Amino acid sequence: MQTLTQPAIYLDEDTADTLYDIASAAPEGSRATATRLLGELERAIIVPSGELPDKVVRLGVNIAYRDTDTGRVRTGSIVLPQQADISAGRISVLSPAGAGLIGLEEGSAISWRIGGRETSLLVLKVG
């Protein structure tokens, strides 16, 4: 069985601190995703605030990504949970897709579990 290497993820210091606080205090219904987000934070490459490369998925920036299992392309932005509105394309960072995409570079894919199935999320465009 082949082991997939997960791509690097990049976060700035302020965002990493914010995401840690949100994931640590997540409500019961979001605990599984919050635990995965905490794991991603542990392996993240943290850069000084304001020095994140342009083509990295970060809060509030428009993105396009593909679920490689279904082939479906989606667009939107990753936001804090209180700003989420899926009908407006605002994806909570505590949702499975949001937690998987945050910090990825354009062109990167991550193996991720969404809705009880394993898939890959491929970042097509950032910005």
Side-chain angles (χ1 to χ4, degrees):
M1 179 176 181
Q2 182 182 12
T3 303
L4 297 176
T5 302
Q6 295 293 55
I9 58 171
Y10 300 90
L11 297 168
D12 67 43
E13 294 169 329
D14 291 340
T15 300
D17 290 344
T18 298
L19 296 181
Y20 180 83
D21 291 344
I22 288 169
S24 296
E28 187 62 35
S30 299
R31 288 302 315 152
T33 301
T35 298
R36 294 205 61 201
L37 180 58
L38 288 169
E40 291 297 280
L41 290 171
E42 286 180 17
R43 70 180 196 86
I45 298 164
I46 308 298
V47 300
S49 294
E51 294 185 22
L52 206 57
D54 289 339
K55 296 299 182 178
V56 170
V57 176
R58 57 196 174 281
L59 294 173
V61 173
N62 289 325
I63 63 168
Y65 69 96
R66 177 183 299 125
D67 178 324
T68 60
D69 184 44
T70 65
R72 186 171 180 185
V73 173
R74 295 180 184 214
T75 59
S77 61
I78 310 300
V79 297
L80 299 176
Q82 64 271 23
Q83 299 166 329
D85 180 351
I86 199 66
S87 66
R90 294 191 303 267
I91 307 159
S92 172
V93 73
L94 278 183
S95 71
L101 291 165
I102 193 77
L104 290 180
E105 290 182 284
E106 187 175 289
S108 293
I110 189 168
S111 296
W112 205 250
R113 187 166 193 78
I114 294 182
R117 64 183 171 81
E118 291 292 327
T119 190
S120 289
L121 302 176
L122 171 64
V123 180
L124 302 170
K125 184 158 180 58
V126 176

